[in-house]
Amino acid sequence: TGQFEESEKAFKEYLKKYPKGPHAVEAAVYIADGYRFTEKLKKATKQYHVVLDKYTLTADWETDILCSPVRCALAEDDWPTAMPLLRQIYDIAPDEWRATWAATLLTIAYFKELEVDKVYPLVPYLMRPASFASRSVAFNMAALEAADELFAEETYRDALWIYRLIF
């Protein structure tokens, strides 16, 4: 409804009254979400990390919560901050959908850094029929830019491999 200040206050009151209550994790995440939705990205990231550090989470919950600071970092085009979180998501993702999402974004980051050797292990996720890589403009642009740069540097094997990956 857009009443983020009021909801933040209510969730903070809930956490003060029931710090170990049955919905404490959700309340803490909703506070962070409110910051993210109002573009207070640094506050949101800090709050997400509070949740990750304070609560015992299932792999499912941890994966979902880790996705949010990644979104905050990428909103600011901060790939170096996003990369270790994406790696963590990729490693713990309880399902193929989230692992593929992380693999695609990690590959974009590796292409931006011309770290082609780190892409090879991710290829099985990138080549799956419903992979995010297959329909991501950002993935294809990062791949083309990396391949073009490698080709200009006369690193033909890697350049051609990347071209082949996307065509």
Side-chain angles (χ1 to χ4, degrees):
T1 61
Q3 298 174 332
F4 293 108
E5 289 179 20
E6 293 85 353
S7 64
E8 176 187 348
K9 183 179 176 187
F11 288 128
K12 284 183 175 180
E13 286 176 18
Y14 175 85
L15 288 172
K16 189 181 282 186
K17 191 172 183 179
Y18 307 104
K20 295 182 182 189
H23 301 289
V25 174
E26 290 96 331
V29 169
Y30 293 152
I31 292 168
D33 286 346
Y35 293 146
R36 184 166 58 94
F37 296 139
T38 56
E39 297 184 19
K40 298 174 185 169
L41 301 176
K42 294 201 184 321
K43 281 181 89 168
T45 298
K46 184 177 179 183
Q47 179 64 22
Y48 288 122
H49 285 290
V50 165
V51 174
L52 291 164
D53 294 340
K54 185 174 183 176
Y55 298 99
T56 302
L57 305 166
T58 64
D60 191 52
W61 254 104
E62 185 176 3
T63 301
D64 283 349
I65 294 168
L66 280 167
C67 290
S68 294
V70 166
R71 290 183 181 98
C72 292
L74 294 182
E76 296 182 320
D77 201 31
D78 184 359
W79 287 91
T81 297
M83 286 173 70
L85 298 172
L86 286 165
R87 185 73 223 187
Q88 192 174 351
I89 293 167
Y90 175 76
D91 290 339
I92 68 165
D95 57 59
E96 186 175 308
W97 185 86
R98 287 177 277 189
T100 302
W101 179 81
T104 301
L105 290 176
L106 267 175
T107 301
I108 292 169
Y110 293 149
F111 282 155
K112 288 178 177 286
E113 300 297 319
L114 297 180
E115 296 177 354
V116 178
D117 57 313
K118 293 182 179 178
V119 174
Y120 296 128
L122 304 174
V123 169
Y125 281 98
L126 303 174
M127 300 304 290
R128 296 202 174 154
S131 169
F132 290 105
S134 67
R135 60 186 187 275
S136 169
V137 172
F139 173 84
N140 286 297
M141 289 301 299
L144 284 172
E145 289 168 359
D148 288 349
E149 190 169 335
L150 290 166
F151 197 84
E153 294 174 2
E154 298 183 7
T155 312
Y156 301 122
R157 186 177 80 71
D158 287 340
L160 292 172
W161 178 79
I162 293 171
Y163 288 135
R164 178 66 185 108
L165 181 65
I166 58 174
F167 289 113

